Amino acid sequence: MSPIAKLVSLVALIVTVAPSLLYFFGVLSLDAMKWIALAGTIAWFVSTPMWMGRKQTG
Amino acid sequence: MTDKTSDSGGEFEREPVSENALLGQSKFWGMYAGEHAAGTEFMIGPLFLSAGASLQDLLIGLLLGNILAVLTWRFLVAPIAIAKRMTLYYQLERITGGSLVKLYNFINGVLFCFLAGAMITVSASAVGIPFGIDYAVPEAMFGLGAPSFTGLVVLVGIVIAIVAAAGYSTVARFANIAAPWMIGIFAACGIVSMAQMGATDWSTISEGKWWTDAIDFVQSKDGEKSFPFWQIVVFAWLCNGAMHFGMADLSIFRFAKSRNAGWAPSIGMFLGHYMAWIAAALLLAAQIKLSQDHAANPGALAWGALGWTGILCVVIAGWTTANPTIYRAGLAFQAMIPKSSRTVMTLVAGAVATVAGAFPNLSAQLLGFVGTYGTVLGPMGAVIFVDFWLMKKFGLEDEYSTKTNQSISIPVLVAWLLPVSVGLYLIFWQGIFAAYAVVPCWIACGVIYLVLSKMTQTKVDAKGAES
């Protein structure tokens, strides 16, 4: 579970930050950028608690 | 740090950290990354622009100041932390006596409350955006904002104080989880702001008109101000003066395996106090360009750039900073009254912080506040420095209070209060920039402590009695 959650977190972080770059280069509108960043944020806070700060078992 | 090893966790508080409790470097890098990309950055960044700092001075001045801060951690704090492996408070107690440490702790707690108050203001500014609650900084230092904003500050303060009183391990874990995301959000805020100002090609960026236009606008409204290069350098260097010059981070580095952990603050300095400050300043520049509004309202600034994600970031950044700060203030107050309950003292600290947070002008004074904080607490670091490096070289006893069972060391009391009084006089009555006072007070404190020790110390025999 942990490796998958880590991968999801990484993707979520990219989805949060990358839209700002796409907006900067004129690829995305401001509104689209904001909604995609929010989706990335939600994904980050769902996936990251599954692995960060948890004691390893086994 | 984990709860097990933290300053508040109850382990190794009155003994050196044992070999098997030492931590690897990654813990320190992670902790400093989270601690210095916090809610305060949303307030401090725009203040540079409001104060009239040029972009070039900001970019180079912050770079130099942050390098000096990292070097101070590495070469001033880490060697003593590794050699003694004790908390700041226990080291101070051995040098100054228990009563003086309690006084230091109390002052530390009060200053923590004001810092937490600024964070409550920041969080409330963001929570109020969806409800249309206006955040405005009144003219008077102790003027309240709109009644609805004051009510919101009280609500946010109550929630933060209750969570802190319940213990902050959950918040600490949440802060760790949020830290990488927050750093990403700060970067995104800067990138979006640049695009909103049309600074998307190299020639426009390098021309810098988007920055000078923003400064001209602020100065046309608020009058001419300047924030020169060396003032930026000194601020960046000493805004955490209590942590490095003041040696508060001895309590952290005592767990380090090697002195090289002292380089870890560099991640916090260059992500939090460089990238995040500049990004937060860009938010204000973009807001001025888009709406001719120069109010440094953290919630509105983040909303303009990133919408709900920005609001979440301001709320979380403010909350995760305010919570441990109130918790630590509660511990400091509890140390003053040993029989008191930690929960009650944390709620008292939360109440003081909430009252401070209700005055928006206090949080607008953060540039001065952090300098004052370093001026008041920083000099105690000089006492530790002199005691560790110089006392034996001058034929004097180190940790004199422990060896003589004193509860208060008069040389330390005088060496601390005298320069700090002069420093506070210069800051509040002569108007010098607060961070300028940190290093002179630190040096004066160390010299006075050494001279007074030379004048007052008597020989201590092997059993610890004075002769």
Side-chain angles (χ1 to χ4, degrees):
Chain A
M1 185 67 182
S2 178
I4 297 168
K6 282 182 183 175
L7 184 65
V8 173
S9 292
L10 179 66
V11 172
L13 198 55
I14 292 169
V15 170
T16 305
V17 180
S20 63
L21 281 168
L22 296 175
Y23 171 67
F24 182 88
F25 290 112
V27 178
L28 274 181
S29 70
L30 186 65
D31 273 348
M33 181 272 298
K34 287 178 179 176
W35 286 115
I36 297 171
L38 183 60
T41 293
I42 293 167
W44 171 266
F45 282 103
V46 170
S47 61
T48 310
M50 293 180 187
W51 58 271
M52 191 182 277
R54 292 218 160 169
K55 284 181 182 155
Q56 299 290 324
T57 52
Chain B
M1 304 295 101
T2 63
D3 268 3
K4 186 185 171 195
T5 53
S6 74
D7 192 25
S8 56
E11 287 208 355
F12 309 110
E13 287 189 346
R14 303 189 68 79
E15 59 185 329
V17 173
S18 66
E19 193 73 23
N20 60 3
L22 300 185
L23 300 170
Q25 292 240 14
S26 61
K27 294 274 183 194
F28 299 93
W29 288 82
M31 196 212 75
Y32 276 101
E35 184 149 336
H36 295 283
T40 35
E41 321 327 338
F42 277 111
M43 287 302 297
I44 291 173
L47 293 176
F48 287 116
L49 192 147
S50 300
S54 83
L55 187 61
Q56 186 181 333
D57 285 353
L58 194 63
L59 292 173
I60 302 171
L62 288 183
L63 184 68
L64 182 56
N66 283 319
I67 289 171
L68 288 170
V70 173
L71 291 174
T72 311
W73 260 298
R74 169 61 185 81
F75 292 103
L76 196 70
V77 185
I80 298 177
I82 302 286
K84 303 210 90 167
R85 299 202 178 283
M86 294 174 189
T87 66
L88 165 75
Y89 302 106
Y90 190 47
Q91 285 203 47
L92 273 182
E93 186 181 319
R94 295 174 69 83
I95 298 167
T96 70
S99 298
L100 195 46
V101 171
K102 283 183 183 171
L103 174 65
Y104 170 90
N105 235 342
F106 175 72
I107 293 171
N108 200 3
V110 171
L111 293 174
F112 270 149
C113 285
F114 281 97
L115 195 60
M119 292 308 91
I120 291 171
T121 310
V122 168
S123 286
S125 79
V127 174
I129 293 285
F131 303 103
I133 294 176
D134 184 39
Y135 162 88
V137 179
E139 290 276 319
M141 176 68 78
F142 291 102
L144 294 170
S148 54
F149 184 76
T150 306
L152 190 57
V153 166
V154 172
L155 271 178
V156 171
I158 288 172
V159 171
I160 289 176
I162 289 173
V163 174
Y168 88 108
S169 59
T170 307
V171 178
R173 181 164 178 258
F174 184 74
N176 286 341
I177 288 167
W181 169 82
M182 272 198 287
I183 289 164
I185 295 300
F186 273 114
C189 283
I191 294 165
V192 170
S193 300
M194 294 292 285
Q196 287 176 322
M197 290 185 283
T200 52
D201 60 88
W202 179 244
S203 65
T204 311
I205 292 171
S206 57
E207 190 189 3
K209 196 167 178 305
W210 42 276
W211 182 269
T212 51
D213 282 352
I215 289 198
D216 289 345
F217 182 85
V218 173
Q219 303 217 339
S220 72
K221 299 286 181 190
D222 294 348
E224 204 153 305
K225 292 179 192 170
S226 70
F227 200 19
F229 176 77
W230 286 108
Q231 197 168 337
I232 296 171
V233 173
V234 169
F235 178 80
W237 181 19
L238 299 170
C239 67
N240 284 125
M243 276 80 215
H244 47 66
F245 268 105
M247 304 270 183
D249 282 358
L250 287 175
S251 303
I252 292 168
F253 288 123
R254 71 200 163 116
F255 289 101
K257 283 180 182 162
S258 89
R259 294 176 180 191
N260 286 333
W263 295 114
S266 56
I267 191 168
M269 294 301 99
F270 291 106
L271 289 177
H273 290 190
Y274 194 75
M275 184 272 286
W277 281 356
I278 292 168
L282 293 176
L283 285 173
L284 180 59
Q287 178 183 277
I288 290 169
K289 170 102 179 176
L290 295 175
S291 59
Q292 285 74 56
D293 175 9
H294 70 300
N297 171 356
L301 291 172
W303 171 259
L306 286 176
W308 286 105
T309 309
I311 293 284
L312 276 175
C313 185
V314 176
V315 172
I316 290 171
W319 180 46
T320 53
T321 317
N323 227 299
T325 307
I326 288 173
Y327 180 84
R328 286 172 189 152
L331 285 180
F333 293 157
Q334 190 198 14
M336 288 289 294
I337 312 164
K339 287 184 181 172
S340 60
S341 139
R342 184 191 61 76
T343 304
V344 171
M345 288 297 111
T346 307
L347 291 174
V348 169
V352 175
T354 303
V355 170
F359 301 108
N361 219 334
L362 289 180
S363 64
Q365 306 295 325
L366 259 182
L367 289 183
F369 174 79
V370 291
T372 307
Y373 184 64
T375 302
V376 173
L377 298 182
M380 274 300 199
V383 169
I384 289 175
F385 177 86
V386 167
D387 203 75
F388 181 78
W389 292 109
L390 300 179
M391 292 304 257
K392 285 183 179 164
K393 286 186 180 155
F394 281 81
L396 299 164
E397 292 288 341
D398 63 348
E399 301 186 344
Y400 190 70
S401 286
T402 292
K403 290 172 182 171
T404 56
N405 288 321
Q406 285 180 342
S407 69
I408 189 160
S409 161
I410 299 302
V412 174
L413 184 66
V414 173
W416 182 32
L417 294 186
L418 200 60
V420 168
S421 303
V422 174
L424 292 179
Y425 167 76
L426 292 173
I427 292 167
F428 290 110
W429 279 274
Q430 298 299 317
I432 72 157
F433 185 56
Y436 286 155
V438 176
V439 174
C441 285
W442 193 91
I443 294 170
C445 177
V447 170
I448 294 170
Y449 171 53
L450 190 61
V451 170
L452 290 183
S453 294
K454 190 79 181 167
M455 289 165 65
T456 59
Q457 270 199 14
T458 52
K459 282 280 173 203
V460 178
D461 65 26
K463 289 177 184 168
E466 292 176 82
S467 57

